[in-house]
Amino acid sequence: MEKADLWIRNAKVYNSYRKEFFEADVSVKDGKFFYIDREKSTEFDAVKEIDADGKYMIPGMIDIHMHIESSMMTPGPFGRYMASCGVTTIVSEPHEMANVRGIRGVHEMICAAEEAPIDIYYGIPSSVPSTSSRLETTGGVIDCEAMKCLLKEKDVVCVGEIMNYRKIIEEGNQLEITKFLEYLREEKPGYVVEGHCPSLTGLELAKFLYLGIDGDHTEHTLEEVRQRIENGMFFEIQEKMLKPEILDYIVSNNLYEHVSFVTDDTMADALYEKGHLNKVAEQAVRLGFPVEQAIYCATFTPARRMQFYDRGSIAPGKLADFQLLENLEVMEPSLVYKCGVEIYHRNSAEEPKSSYEFPEDFYHSVCLPEITKNNFQIPANGKKALVRAICVQESCTQTKEVQIEMPVKDGYLHWQESGCMLAMVIERYGKNGNIGYGFLTGDCCRAGTVATTYCHDHHNLLVAGHKPEDMLLAVQRLEKLQGGFLVVNEGEILAELALPVCGILNEGSVENIGRAVKKIRGKMNSLGYKHLNPIMSFGTLGLPVSPALKLTDRGLIDVKAGEIVPLFVK
């Protein structure tokens, strides 16, 4: 009788090479699949035996483009929750942490991931800061030499998304990532390089691909997707790209080899209530994507993209990463194994606490200049002034520039009666004490104040409100918490989430963080903020690579021009 560590009997086993299910018994030795017995004729003397009782056995899912920091969770608790979603491997790109603590931040994320039950790999942050220090102040910088150092880390497997996509295709640019790509061409040809290139087409797309950046995950039209796939770019489909015309194009042209599902940014409340990569695949199936192909694009194709040739299928010699599903319409596993070891059982409610401790200074990262009520006054000349304002749009995180006339009283803008929110980005690393000023209009709050240190990608303190008193309260509270996200109205804190790890992460469980995030979302909506994800919308108002007008500690940024523009219109 053959020996095995684990023997799974009576399963409907997914075959990645035929993209079909077959009834079989599966044995596991030393953390790897040994024999997939379709004849069910071989008996095993196994340490542990599982009767699958007709359940569907599929590989562990693999998410190759995501950001742990988007959940505001630390790697250990995040990884444990991934197991419950049937996700056994992720590739996270930690540019949020890198913006706060540089290469040390990336190293700490790698170390913190060691307590997770799944495999957590990382991409090298390639755009830290997202633009240049001329346009924003960050806590850390990842230059070419830092990228070379990270390349040596065993859990680093790719170059993370290159976000400064228009600058990099300009001839003669002096970007650090350009220098690093030249280094890779000499030292590591074929290394995986992830892109971020919304709207690039034609010659511009060709220039981007020519540099070796051959993956993209951003939101596109059908024509943009067609150009990417036809030009050899691997396309990663996140939830907002689950559009009927996109899926139909992939299905009708049999393009499954060239795509995979990813999550990119998922907040804790959505994680807790909906799930992760499993729900992206499930949604695709509901929209007409064949279920066998959906499993393929959540397991096999992402493994090949990242050159993970040891996983992504149930076959002899591959890592025994698998899950059991009761049906294929609801991809919620009853059992999940990693390298032949159980990491999740639906009937087990135990949630171990994180034991990893970050360095002490990671808990003391918010160092603000002295802020008083006077900081919420803006000097102006004359009786009226024309100002630039950021128009928040309900349907996306991109903004528009509008110009609004405001009264001037006693030498200051009388913005409180303008209908706009005053917005300020306060430098929080103790480097220069900068304060950038702007105004919000459009689908933003009609009352109250919102404030956060979770402000992409520089993560300075962003506060926007209708009353200076509420705004000052919010700033002082965030300094006391050493980071967080909160909503204030009429002197009362309506909802808050502390983010004490570098001002962007909380060490709690997905349940606790998810509940706090949901409450913040609800309070923002109740005050008039119209958006499917108001937290993400607000947090990206400071992102100077996302069109069209954004705010950093340096001031208002015209994203397309890549320039600081004055608050007042001459």
Side-chain angles (χ1 to χ4, degrees), residues 90-163:
I90 62 174
V91 180
S92 178
E93 205 265 75
H95 66 261
E96 314 294 356
M97 182 61 84
N99 270 276
V100 181
R101 278 291 182 263
I103 195 169
R104 281 186 66 221
V106 179
H107 282 305
E108 290 301 324
M109 290 294 281
I110 293 172
C111 293
E114 292 177 0
E115 67 175 12
I118 69 168
D119 282 337
I120 297 180
Y121 295 102
Y122 289 97
I124 298 171
S126 60
S127 304
V128 179
S130 65
T131 50
S132 72
S133 58
R134 181 175 60 85
L135 300 182
E136 56 186 318
T137 303
T138 59
V141 173
I142 302 292
D143 58 15
C144 182
E145 291 306 311
M147 294 181 210
K148 290 179 183 178
C149 289
L150 289 171
L151 192 63
K152 300 173 185 177
E153 293 280 349
K154 67 179 179 65
D155 292 327
V156 169
V157 296
C158 69
V159 177
E161 59 179 307
I162 296 174
M163 292 186 290

Side-chain angles (χ1 to χ4, degrees), residues 284-300:
V285 173
R286 280 199 295 271
L287 292 171
F289 212 82
V291 66
E292 292 85 0
Q293 303 290 1
I295 295 169
Y296 188 71
C297 294
T299 58
F300 192 85

Side-chain angles (χ1 to χ4, degrees), residues 312-563:
S313 63
I314 299 173
K318 305 298 183 184
L319 293 182
D321 299 353
F322 68 90
Q323 55 186 304
L324 295 181
L325 304 174
E326 292 179 358
N327 68 73
L328 299 177
E329 294 178 358
V330 181
M331 294 187 185
E332 295 177 359
S334 57
L335 198 63
V336 181
Y337 271 66
K338 179 80 184 79
C339 294
V341 177
E342 181 184 310
I343 60 172
Y344 171 74
H345 194 296
R346 182 182 294 166
N347 297 328
S348 175
E350 184 180 355
E351 175 68 28
K353 293 183 178 180
S354 176
S355 60
Y356 186 80
E357 290 188 7
F358 288 86
E360 185 63 24
D361 65 296
F362 279 48
Y363 300 97
H364 302 281
S365 67
V366 179
C367 181
L368 301 177
E370 183 180 359
I371 302 296
T372 68
K373 287 182 66 175
N374 292 334
N375 292 108
F376 303 98
Q377 294 181 322
I378 301 175
N381 298 321
K383 295 183 178 180
K384 292 181 180 180
L386 190 64
V387 300
R388 289 181 172 87
I390 299 169
C391 183
V392 177
Q393 300 186 88
E394 179 180 2
S395 59
C396 63
T397 54
Q398 296 184 2
T399 63
K400 296 187 297 184
E401 177 183 325
V402 297
Q403 297 179 2
I404 295 176
E405 191 174 71
M406 293 186 181
V408 177
K409 293 183 180 180
D410 301 323
Y412 294 97
L413 274 181
H414 199 65
W415 58 267
Q416 292 92 328
E417 295 179 6
S418 67
C420 294
M421 301 178 79
L422 172 64
M424 299 163 57
V425 172
I426 306 169
E427 187 271 320
R428 60 101 159 181
Y429 299 106
K431 291 186 173 183
N432 51 43
N434 286 344
I435 301 177
Y437 289 90
F439 292 98
L440 303 185
T441 187
D443 297 318
C444 57
C445 294
R446 300 301 173 203
T449 288
V450 183
T452 186
T453 50
Y454 194 96
C455 183
H456 293 279
D457 279 344
H458 47 74
H459 299 298
N460 288 300
L461 192 156
L462 168 63
V463 58
H466 289 274
K467 290 186 176 182
E469 297 82 5
D470 284 352
M471 295 176 72
L472 181 59
L473 171 61
V475 170
Q476 292 172 339
R477 179 61 176 167
L478 287 178
E479 186 170 30
K480 183 177 181 180
L481 293 174
Q482 281 298 293
F485 206 120
L486 53 82
V487 181
V488 176
N489 193 31
E490 300 296 341
E492 179 184 358
I493 297 174
L494 305 181
E496 73 175 18
L497 171 63
L499 299 172
V501 180
C502 289
I504 60 174
L505 302 180
N506 183 294
E507 294 171 294
S509 68
V510 65
E511 180 179 4
N512 291 336
I513 298 172
R515 286 175 175 172
V517 168
K518 185 176 182 179
K519 187 175 181 181
I520 292 168
R521 187 192 300 261
K523 294 300 182 183
M524 289 180 70
N525 287 148
S526 70
L527 292 173
Y529 208 110
K530 297 179 182 178
H531 202 277
L532 290 175
N533 191 340
I535 294 174
M536 181 62 71
S537 170
F538 188 79
T540 53
L541 293 176
L543 182 59
V545 293
S546 175
L549 186 67
K550 294 296 172 75
L551 179 66
T552 76
D553 67 299
R554 303 286 186 180
L556 288 170
I557 309 297
D558 180 329
V559 175
K560 186 174 181 179
E563 297 291 341

Side-chain angles (χ1 to χ4, degrees), residues 232-251:
M233 181 172 264
F234 190 82
F235 189 64
E236 297 154 6
I237 307 168
Q238 56 177 296
E239 186 176 19
K240 62 186 177 184
M241 279 304 291
L242 294 177
K243 302 175 182 179
E245 68 273 18
I246 303 296
L247 298 182
D248 181 66
Y249 172 70
I250 294 166
V251 172

